[in-house]
Coordinates of all heavy atoms in Angstrom, one line a residue:
H300 N 2.2 -11.6 28.8 CA 0.9 -11.0 28.6 C -0.2 -12.0 28.9 O -1.2 -11.7 29.5 CB 0.9 -10.4 27.2 CG -0.4 -10.3 26.5 ND1 -1.1 -9.1 26.5 CD2 -1.1 -11.1 25.7 CE1 -2.2 -9.2 25.8 NE2 -2.2 -10.4 25.3
Q301 N -0.1 -13.2 28.3 CA -1.1 -14.2 28.5 C -1.1 -14.7 29.9 O -2.2 -15.0 30.5 CB -0.8 -15.4 27.5 CG -0.9 -14.9 26.0 CD -0.3 -16.0 25.1 OE1 0.0 -17.1 25.5 NE2 -0.1 -15.6 23.8
L302 N 0.0 -14.9 30.5 CA 0.1 -15.4 31.9 C -0.6 -14.4 32.8 O -1.3 -14.8 33.8 CB 1.6 -15.6 32.3 CG 1.9 -16.2 33.7 CD1 1.8 -15.2 34.9 CD2 1.1 -17.5 33.9
L303 N -0.4 -13.1 32.6 CA -1.0 -12.0 33.4 C -2.5 -12.1 33.3 O -3.2 -12.1 34.3 CB -0.5 -10.7 32.9 CG -1.0 -9.4 33.7 CD1 -0.6 -9.5 35.1 CD2 -0.5 -8.2 33.0
A304 N -3.0 -12.3 32.1 CA -4.5 -12.5 31.9 C -5.0 -13.7 32.6 O -6.0 -13.6 33.3 CB -4.8 -12.5 30.4
Q305 N -4.3 -14.8 32.5 CA -4.8 -16.1 33.1 C -4.7 -15.9 34.6 O -5.6 -16.4 35.3 CB -3.9 -17.2 32.6 CG -4.3 -18.6 33.2 CD -3.5 -19.7 32.6 OE1 -3.9 -20.1 31.5 NE2 -2.5 -20.2 33.2
A306 N -3.7 -15.3 35.2 CA -3.5 -15.2 36.6 C -4.7 -14.4 37.2 O -5.0 -14.6 38.4 CB -2.2 -14.6 36.9
L307 N -5.2 -13.5 36.4 CA -6.3 -12.6 36.9 C -7.7 -13.0 36.4 O -8.6 -12.2 36.3 CB -5.9 -11.1 36.5 CG -4.6 -10.6 37.0 CD1 -4.3 -9.2 36.5 CD2 -4.5 -10.7 38.6
D308 N -7.8 -14.3 36.2 CA -9.1 -14.9 35.8 C -9.6 -14.6 34.4 O -10.8 -14.6 34.1 CB -10.2 -14.5 36.8 CG -9.9 -15.0 38.2 OD1 -9.4 -16.2 38.3 OD2 -10.2 -14.3 39.2
G309 N -8.6 -14.3 33.5 CA -8.9 -14.2 32.1 C -8.7 -15.6 31.5 O -8.6 -16.6 32.2
A310 N -8.8 -15.7 30.2 CA -8.6 -17.0 29.5 C -7.7 -16.9 28.3 O -7.6 -15.9 27.6 CB -10.0 -17.5 29.0
V311 N -6.9 -18.0 28.1 CA -6.0 -18.0 27.0 C -6.2 -19.4 26.2 O -6.4 -20.4 26.9 CB -4.5 -18.0 27.5 CG1 -3.5 -18.2 26.3 CG2 -4.2 -16.7 28.2
D312 N -6.3 -19.3 24.9 CA -6.6 -20.5 24.1 C -5.7 -20.5 22.8 O -5.2 -19.5 22.4 CB -8.1 -20.5 23.7 CG -9.0 -20.6 24.9 OD1 -9.0 -21.7 25.4 OD2 -9.7 -19.7 25.2
P313 N -5.6 -21.7 22.2 CA -4.8 -21.8 21.0 C -5.6 -21.0 19.9 O -6.8 -20.9 19.8 CB -4.8 -23.3 20.7 CG -5.2 -24.0 22.0 CD -6.1 -23.0 22.7
M314 N -4.8 -20.4 19.0 CA -5.3 -19.7 17.8 C -5.6 -20.6 16.6 O -6.3 -20.3 15.7 CB -4.4 -18.6 17.4 CG -4.1 -17.5 18.4 SD -2.8 -16.4 18.0 CE -3.4 -15.6 16.5
G315 N -4.9 -21.8 16.6 CA -5.0 -22.6 15.4 C -4.0 -22.2 14.3 O -4.0 -22.8 13.2
R316 N -3.2 -21.2 14.5 CA -2.2 -20.7 13.5 C -1.2 -19.8 14.3 O -1.5 -19.4 15.4 CB -2.9 -20.0 12.4 CG -3.6 -18.7 12.9 CD -4.2 -17.9 11.8 NE -4.9 -16.7 12.3 CZ -5.3 -15.7 11.6 NH1 -5.1 -15.7 10.3 NH2 -5.9 -14.7 12.1
Y317 N -0.2 -19.5 13.6 CA 0.8 -18.6 14.2 C 0.5 -17.2 13.7 O 0.1 -17.0 12.5 CB 2.2 -19.0 13.8 CG 2.9 -19.9 14.8 CD1 3.0 -21.2 14.6 CD2 3.5 -19.3 15.9 CE1 3.6 -22.1 15.5 CE2 4.1 -20.2 16.8 CZ 4.2 -21.5 16.6 OH 4.8 -22.3 17.5
E318 N 0.7 -16.2 14.5 CA 1.0 -14.8 14.1 C 2.5 -14.6 14.2 O 3.0 -14.6 15.3 CB 0.2 -13.8 15.0 CG 0.4 -12.4 14.4 CD -0.3 -11.3 15.2 OE1 -0.7 -11.6 16.4 OE2 -0.5 -10.2 14.7
L319 N 3.1 -14.6 13.1 CA 4.6 -14.6 13.1 C 5.1 -13.6 12.1 O 4.6 -13.4 11.0 CB 5.1 -16.0 12.7 CG 6.6 -16.3 12.6 CD1 7.2 -16.1 14.0 CD2 6.8 -17.7 12.1
G320 N 6.1 -12.8 12.6 CA 6.7 -11.8 11.7 C 6.3 -10.4 12.1 O 5.7 -10.2 13.2
Y321 N 6.6 -9.4 11.3 CA 6.3 -8.0 11.5 C 4.8 -7.8 11.1 O 4.4 -8.1 10.0 CB 7.2 -7.1 10.8 CG 8.6 -7.0 11.3 CD1 9.6 -7.6 10.6 CD2 8.9 -6.4 12.5 CE1 10.9 -7.6 11.1 CE2 10.2 -6.4 13.0 CZ 11.2 -7.0 12.3 OH 12.5 -6.9 12.8
H322 N 4.0 -7.2 12.1 CA 2.6 -6.9 11.8 C 2.3 -5.6 12.4 O 2.9 -5.1 13.4 CB 1.7 -8.0 12.5 CG 1.8 -9.3 11.8 ND1 1.0 -9.7 10.7 CD2 2.6 -10.4 12.0 CE1 1.3 -10.9 10.3 NE2 2.3 -11.4 11.1
E323 N 1.3 -4.9 11.8 CA 0.9 -3.7 12.4 C -0.1 -3.9 13.6 O -0.8 -4.8 13.6 CB 0.1 -2.9 11.3 CG 1.1 -2.3 10.2 CD 0.4 -1.3 9.3 OE1 -0.9 -1.4 9.2 OE2 1.1 -0.5 8.7
V324 N 0.1 -3.0 14.5 CA -0.7 -3.0 15.8 C -1.5 -1.7 15.8 O -0.9 -0.6 15.6 CB 0.1 -3.2 17.0 CG1 -0.7 -3.1 18.3 CG2 0.8 -4.6 16.9
D325 N -2.8 -1.7 16.2 CA -3.6 -0.5 16.3 C -3.8 -0.2 17.8 O -4.4 -1.0 18.5 CB -4.9 -0.7 15.6 CG -4.8 -0.9 14.1 OD1 -4.0 -0.2 13.5 OD2 -5.5 -1.8 13.6
R326 N -3.3 1.0 18.2 CA -3.6 1.5 19.5 C -5.0 2.1 19.6 O -5.3 3.0 18.8 CB -2.5 2.5 19.9 CG -2.6 3.1 21.3 CD -1.4 3.9 21.6 NE -1.2 5.0 20.7 CZ -1.8 6.2 20.8 NH1 -2.7 6.4 21.7 NH2 -1.5 7.1 19.9
I327 N -5.8 1.6 20.5 CA -7.2 2.0 20.5 C -7.6 2.8 21.8 O -8.8 3.2 21.9 CB -8.2 0.8 20.3 CG1 -8.0 -0.2 21.5 CG2 -7.9 0.1 19.0 CD1 -9.1 -1.3 21.5
A328 N -6.6 3.0 22.7 CA -6.9 3.7 23.9 C -5.7 4.4 24.3 O -4.6 3.9 24.1 CB -7.4 2.8 25.0
D329 N -5.8 5.6 25.0 CA -4.7 6.3 25.5 C -4.3 5.7 26.8 O -5.1 5.3 27.6 CB -5.1 7.8 25.7 CG -5.3 8.5 24.4 OD1 -4.6 8.1 23.4 OD2 -6.1 9.5 24.4
D330 N -3.0 5.6 27.0 CA -2.4 5.0 28.2 C -1.0 5.4 28.3 O -0.3 5.5 27.3 CB -2.5 3.5 28.2 CG -2.2 2.9 29.6 OD1 -3.1 2.8 30.4 OD2 -1.0 2.6 29.8
P331 N -0.5 5.7 29.5 CA 1.0 6.1 29.7 C 1.9 5.1 29.1 O 3.0 5.5 28.6 CB 1.1 6.2 31.2 CG -0.2 6.5 31.7 CD -1.2 5.7 30.8
L332 N 1.6 3.8 29.0 CA 2.5 2.8 28.4 C 2.7 3.1 27.0 O 3.8 2.7 26.4 CB 1.9 1.4 28.6 CG 2.9 0.3 28.2 CD1 4.0 0.1 29.2 CD2 2.2 -1.1 28.1

C-alpha cells in the first residue's frame, strides 16, 4: 500500500509508534474492492 503511494508520487513517513493488533477500520467511500 505504501509502495504504491510512493511509486505514484505520494509520500510515506514514520509514525513514531506502531499500530499493532486488531483495530477497527472505517470505510468512507463506496468502491468495488
Side-chain angles (χ1 to χ4, degrees):
H300 155 90
Q301 297 168 12
L302 187 282
L303 182 63
Q305 180 171 281
L307 301 177
D308 296 323
V311 177
D312 293 291
M314 298 171 63
R316 60 175 180 171
Y317 268 99
E318 181 178 21
L319 181 63
Y321 289 107
H322 291 272
E323 289 190 338
V324 174
D325 297 319
R326 182 169 58 82
I327 62 171
D329 291 330
D330 188 88
L332 189 71

